[in-house]
Amino acid sequence: MEYRYLGNSGLKVSTLTLGTMTFGGVDRFAKIGNIDVKQAREIIDLCVDRGINLVDTANIYSFGRSEEIIGEVLGGNRPGDLLISTKARMPQGEGPNEAGFSRYHLVRECEKSLKRLRTDVIDIYYIHEWDGRTPLEEMLEALHLLMQQGKVRYIGCSNFSGWHLMKALAISRERNLSRFVTQQIHYTLEARDAEYELLPIGVDQGVGVHVWSPLAGGLLTGKYSKDKKPEEVTRRSEGWPEPPIRDEERLWDIVDSLVEIAESREVSPAQVALAWLLTRPGVVSLVIGGRKIEHIRDNIGAAALELSEEELERLNRVSEIPLIYPYWHQARFARGTFSEETWPCSAAGNWIDPAKPL
């Protein structure tokens, strides 16, 4: 297992993170999975044995039950240097202060998560979603307070846009407050939108990328194709709406390429899709999970898979996205001023020849 620095911090995390959205199965989360304490213990033991040092959850996952299961499995005694990340911001009830960035909500939810997880400190605490009504200053001051109190070690954001993230980083700098060192985002071969803003910002500003749902909710596992759907129960067959697919023909072209490369390498398509992500600029770790331990065991194999330049190029080409403005203009007149890591869609074959008219 490889370990990478978490953005501009001294913390090293494994390139694969155990995601626990499948733990609990409460209410609508039963569509994702229904892992109980016994199964969770087997999964966590497997991951620790294979070198994974980070378990990721959220207070919204099964409405706290996922955190409770992790707490029951670990019993307040983490093996080795196992790290825990969780999140807050999503609604926890019907009351007026049951969601958002407010100091009231974040401090209260952090303390609840600590109790459910049976731990004294959360290693990475994420803001789970944007809140356009609460001042960022209040949110960042609340997170800074939690860090000063020793309840949180590092902070991150999830599902922010580029300008949301940059505004938060600017306020942290101006007010000498703790800053985000990581962002948890959706990014896959099928969904490369993050290359426009979020990945370049991550590299430039030292905000390490954790990827959620790196297999597009199972669509990139090889179980699905244009003419095939898996017989087993999946989150999509249960009606879970994420991620949205806007171009099915492109998706199935990507899946076909994954399957062909996987067959030639005698690995699974899921491992190929994950291995591609681990080559992307700024990516620190991929959050893997599943309904069965076999899914997770297979995903772990991606940590040791190194794709060839030819394989990477094929995947880049079949999944490429268009250069939107201002990037098509910058590609013609300013591409020499970007480093490869901060150029949007740099490996997608989207270079524009300045000698040719647009």
Side-chain angles (χ1 to χ4, degrees):
M1 182 66 62
E2 179 188 355
Y3 301 88
R4 297 179 180 179
Y5 284 106
L6 184 65
N8 189 24
S9 81
L11 185 68
K12 286 186 175 182
V13 299
S14 48
T15 52
L16 299 178
T17 293
L18 173 61
T20 61
M21 196 174 181
T22 56
F23 287 16
V26 175
D27 195 35
R28 67 177 183 268
F29 286 90
K31 296 179 180 180
I32 297 293
N34 189 19
I35 301 295
D36 60 20
V37 174
K38 180 182 178 181
Q39 294 169 307
R41 181 172 285 110
E42 294 175 355
I43 289 170
I44 291 174
D45 286 348
L46 168 68
C47 290
V48 170
D49 182 64
R50 298 295 180 87
I52 290 176
N53 75 340
L54 177 57
V55 176
D56 178 75
T57 185
N59 65 350
I60 192 64
Y61 295 167
S62 283
F63 306 101
R65 183 57 185 152
S66 174
E67 290 181 329
E68 289 176 349
I69 289 174
I70 294 169
E72 290 179 47
V73 170
L74 299 181
N77 298 307
R78 305 192 203 177
D81 62 350
L82 186 65
L83 307 169
I84 296 175
S85 62
T86 191
K87 313 175 189 74
R89 173 348 192 156
M90 298 297 193
Q92 296 298 297
E94 299 297 327
N97 292 304
E98 292 286 352
F101 282 176
S102 74
R103 181 181 293 104
Y104 173 88
H105 182 72
L106 293 180
V107 171
R108 185 180 67 169
E109 289 306 316
C110 179
E111 291 172 348
K112 288 182 177 180
S113 289
L114 288 168
K115 290 180 181 179
R116 287 191 290 259
L117 290 164
R118 303 186 188 183
T119 186
D120 295 326
V121 61
I122 294 165
D123 297 292
I124 308 169
Y125 199 43
Y126 285 100
I127 297 299
H128 206 169
E129 180 61 88
W130 178 249
D131 173 3
R133 298 302 298 271
T134 305
L136 283 173
E137 290 84 352
E138 179 175 347
M139 177 265 287
L140 290 164
E141 286 169 0
L143 295 176
H144 187 72
L145 172 65
L146 291 170
M147 293 184 72
Q148 287 182 317
Q149 292 176 337
K151 297 175 181 176
V152 171
R153 289 195 172 109
Y154 297 92
I155 58 174
C157 62
S158 183
N159 305 313
F160 277 33
S161 69
W163 76 266
H164 294 155
L165 176 54
M166 286 302 298
K167 185 175 181 180
L169 294 174
I171 291 171
S172 292
R173 181 171 57 250
E174 291 168 1
R175 302 210 171 196
N176 197 30
L177 297 171
S178 303
R179 76 192 298 271
F180 294 139
V181 297
T182 181
Q183 55 176 329
Q184 193 171 128
I185 65 174
H186 183 56
Y187 178 44
T188 71
L189 272 163
E190 191 283 324
R192 295 180 61 176
D193 315 63
E195 294 180 10
Y196 291 128
E197 293 283 348
L198 294 175
L199 261 65
I201 289 171
V203 172
D204 184 68
Q205 297 294 313
V207 181
V209 170
H210 269 82
V211 177
W212 63 260
S213 196
L215 296 173
L219 289 173
L220 302 181
T221 61
K223 297 176 183 177
Y224 294 85
S225 69
K226 186 175 183 178
D227 304 311
K228 180 185 71 174
K229 293 182 180 179
E231 295 181 0
E232 64 187 75
V233 174
T234 67
R235 66 176 64 183
R236 298 194 74 83
S237 68
E238 292 291 286
W240 193 263
E242 295 177 335
I245 304 300
R246 299 185 177 89
D247 186 343
E248 285 204 7
E249 289 301 318
R250 174 176 170 273
L251 166 65
W252 303 133
D253 288 343
I254 293 170
V255 171
D256 288 344
S257 294
L258 286 172
V259 170
E260 290 174 12
I261 292 172
E263 289 176 349
S264 69
R265 297 291 297 271
E266 298 184 342
V267 297
S268 71
Q271 290 178 14
V272 176
L274 296 173
W276 177 86
L277 279 170
L278 289 175
T279 69
R280 307 305 294 154
V283 171
V284 174
S285 186
L286 314 179
V287 183
I288 61 170
R291 291 172 175 267
K292 301 177 182 178
I293 194 170
E294 290 79 11
H295 300 158
I296 296 168
R297 184 178 289 110
D298 178 77
N299 287 178
I300 290 173
L305 178 60
E306 185 173 345
L307 299 175
S308 69
E309 290 298 322
E310 292 76 14
E311 290 165 338
L312 290 172
E313 178 62 19
R314 177 178 179 180
L315 294 172
N316 290 336
R317 292 284 182 178
V318 75
S319 65
E320 68 180 354
I321 56 178
L323 287 179
I324 59 175
Y325 179 81
Y327 305 121
W328 58 260
H329 201 274
Q330 293 173 353
R332 184 171 186 184
F333 296 107
R335 69 185 186 189
T337 66
F338 287 87
S339 67
E340 182 178 351
E341 293 80 11
T342 58
W343 175 251
C345 320
S346 61
N350 275 315
W351 298 107
I352 297 176
D353 187 346
K356 296 180 179 180
L358 292 174

